[in-house]
Amino acid sequence: MITDDWQRLSPRMLLVHPVHEVLRQIPVIIGSLVLGTATGNPLVAIVVFGVTIAIGLARWFTTTYRIGAAEVQLRTGVLQRKVLSVPRNRIRSVSTDARLLHRVLGLTVLRVSTGQEARGDAAFALDAVQTGQVAPLRALLLADSLTPDEPTAPGRVLARWTPSWLRYSPLSFTGLAMIAAAVGLVYQAGAGRMVRDSRIAQSGLDAAERFGVAASVAVLALVVLLASVVLSVLQSLLSYGNLELRRDFDVLHLKHGLVRVREHTFDMRRLRGGTLREPLLVRMFGGAHLDAVMTGVGGEGQASLLLPPCPAPTAREVLTDLIERPEAVSGALRPHGPVATRRRWTRALVVPVAAAAVLAVVPAPAWGWVLWAVVTVCCALLAADRARSLGHRVGDGWLVARTGTLQRRRDCIAASGIIGWTVRQTWMQRRAGVATLVAATAAGLKRYHVVDVPAGLAWRIAAETTPWVADTRWAGSELR
């Protein structure tokens, strides 16, 4: 409710804040425990632990908020007081987040976004309110920005997660990153010597001596690969399980997660397009990601993600439903010509040609030439795919640009959302007669590139997309 009185968060956070504070200060607590053991004074660890608990409890007593007629305010800080104020008419989206402990206690973290990237203490987050208060609080916070017109169609589910989506999880490097992070954490904590002296490590060394280094390395690589696959699938399942993307009139709702449940609410009237992201491995198995291009929402990461790796037809179908332009999502693109193609082949084959020159001069074993042949074929395939992927499309008020191979993306941008253009040329591009056209917008990544178009066509593409460009002095001279 709108009031000038300061309100407190749920008193159940008195159970959550101390736990989170202890987890946040684990290095300090461990250090105090080591110091106390070394000096024979265990009170050091007890005092540090007690102070940590006290700070966690104090966070609830020093955190208040109020929702006024014009702005929302959050007052925080134990030693240093801070007041965050957000005008209500600047609120663009409201998301919720509930970790396991929050869910057990019936709590939800509510985050308010104005479209500006804010992290840490600069983020406006009510941590936490009772789950039953979330719906009325969300409606109240979005009352000034989400005022839908008369509904013309009933709400419907656009996409729902299925277990078959998990087949795309091992195609990312998430599992390997988790393993690398765990290894780094172990060595950073000073436990590297303990691991090296452990019974498992000694057994591994004995096995390497018995079966040979090559066989041991192969087995270790297989174990790491299997662990990476399991971790990737588990992470995807926990993060995106039960995902549901639903459209209710002019409001888009996204909910996902098994243990940690997240919800995002988007205003469809701020949608300026979408991006189909197709990493090479995911694309080889027929998958794609879908991101929203929307004002007030960041263009990267979880903020803009609508669909995680899923079947490409599903992603295209959802994007078509959102922007209502099937030709922009699936239509043929205009290639950028032989010069752009030649630049991709040149870049891809520079390293193989240089390597061949070295191998021709320096005596090399036969396997060196075999490795060179494999690398050359891979580079040629990547060059062909990059050339085939490059293209653009203009029509019906939309700009479509596709580029990349390892991380191919197809950006579909509404012309009405483009607020400026830049034609950029490097020294090599000027020599080749091509240019990169950059469309500026207030949504998503803010800048979307049409790479290596013929220089003479760059401003024509801009004028065809947004006719007002032809009336400008610098572009008009290029078009005449």
Side-chain angles (χ1 to χ4, degrees), residues 145-151 248-251 269:
S145 56
L146 286 182
T147 54
D149 301 329
E150 289 297 323
D248 295 316
F249 315 127
D250 285 335
V251 181
R269 293 171 301 174

Side-chain angles (χ1 to χ4, degrees), residues 255-269:
K255 180 179 180 181
H256 60 88
L258 291 181
V259 176
R260 182 179 181 179
V261 179
R262 297 181 178 182
E263 289 188 57
H264 303 271
T265 302
F266 306 102
D267 184 354
M268 281 293 299
R269 293 171 301 174

Side-chain angles (χ1 to χ4, degrees), residues 155-401:
R156 64 190 187 281
V157 175
L158 301 182
R160 183 177 283 118
W161 182 88
T162 64
S164 63
W165 292 13
L166 291 175
R167 68 180 183 268
Y168 302 109
S169 303
L171 304 178
S172 68
F173 297 100
T174 303
L176 290 176
M178 295 170 67
I179 294 174
V183 172
L185 182 62
V186 167
Y187 278 89
Q188 187 176 10
R193 174 175 294 182
M194 296 176 57
V195 173
R196 289 193 299 269
D197 296 338
S198 65
R199 184 175 301 177
I200 296 177
Q202 293 300 323
S203 300
L205 292 176
D206 294 340
E209 294 178 356
R210 186 180 307 113
F211 299 105
V213 177
S216 301
V217 170
V219 171
L220 178 61
L222 181 61
V223 170
V224 171
L225 179 61
L226 292 176
S228 171
V229 170
V230 172
L231 290 174
S232 297
V233 172
L234 184 61
Q235 188 270 342
S236 179
L237 175 64
L238 295 179
S239 298
Y240 301 113
N242 290 336
L243 179 144
E244 182 179 271
L245 181 64
R246 181 180 181 85
R247 180 175 181 177
D248 295 316
F249 315 127
D250 285 335
V251 181
L252 198 63
H253 296 287
L254 175 64
K255 180 179 180 181
H256 60 88
L258 291 181
V259 176
R260 182 179 181 179
V261 179
R262 297 181 178 182
E263 289 188 57
H264 303 271
T265 302
F266 306 102
D267 184 354
M268 281 293 299
R269 293 171 301 174
R270 304 186 189 278
L271 185 70
R272 299 296 180 265
T275 296
L276 289 169
R277 291 188 292 114
E278 300 171 291
L280 180 59
L281 293 179
V282 175
R283 176 158 48 99
M284 290 174 61
F285 288 84
H289 306 243
L290 177 60
D291 294 334
V293 178
M294 186 175 293
T295 58
V297 177
E300 293 181 313
Q302 292 290 335
S304 62
L305 182 68
L306 294 182
L307 293 179
C310 64
T314 300
R316 295 191 186 99
E317 181 181 348
V318 171
L319 181 56
T320 301
D321 189 285
L322 293 177
I323 69 175
E324 300 178 347
R325 291 295 187 276
E327 64 282 355
V329 178
S330 304
L333 303 180
R334 178 179 179 179
H336 291 180
V339 175
T341 300
R342 185 171 64 248
R343 280 170 56 82
R344 267 124 200 90
W345 279 94
T346 301
R347 292 178 181 179
L349 296 180
V350 164
V351 173
V353 169
V358 173
L359 291 175
V361 175
V362 179
W367 61 265
W369 284 102
V370 173
L371 179 61
W372 173 86
V374 172
V375 172
T376 302
V377 170
C378 291
C379 290
L381 291 175
L382 289 177
D385 187 65
R386 289 189 67 200
R388 184 172 57 252
S389 298
L390 192 64
H392 74 277
R393 180 187 181 95
V394 177
D396 298 325
W398 286 82
L399 171 69
V400 181

Side-chain angles (χ1 to χ4, degrees), residues 87-101:
R88 291 184 57 189
N89 60 2
R90 296 291 298 169
I91 296 176
R92 297 294 179 260
S93 64
V94 174
S95 60
T96 62
D97 187 355
R99 292 183 172 89
L100 181 60
L101 185 56

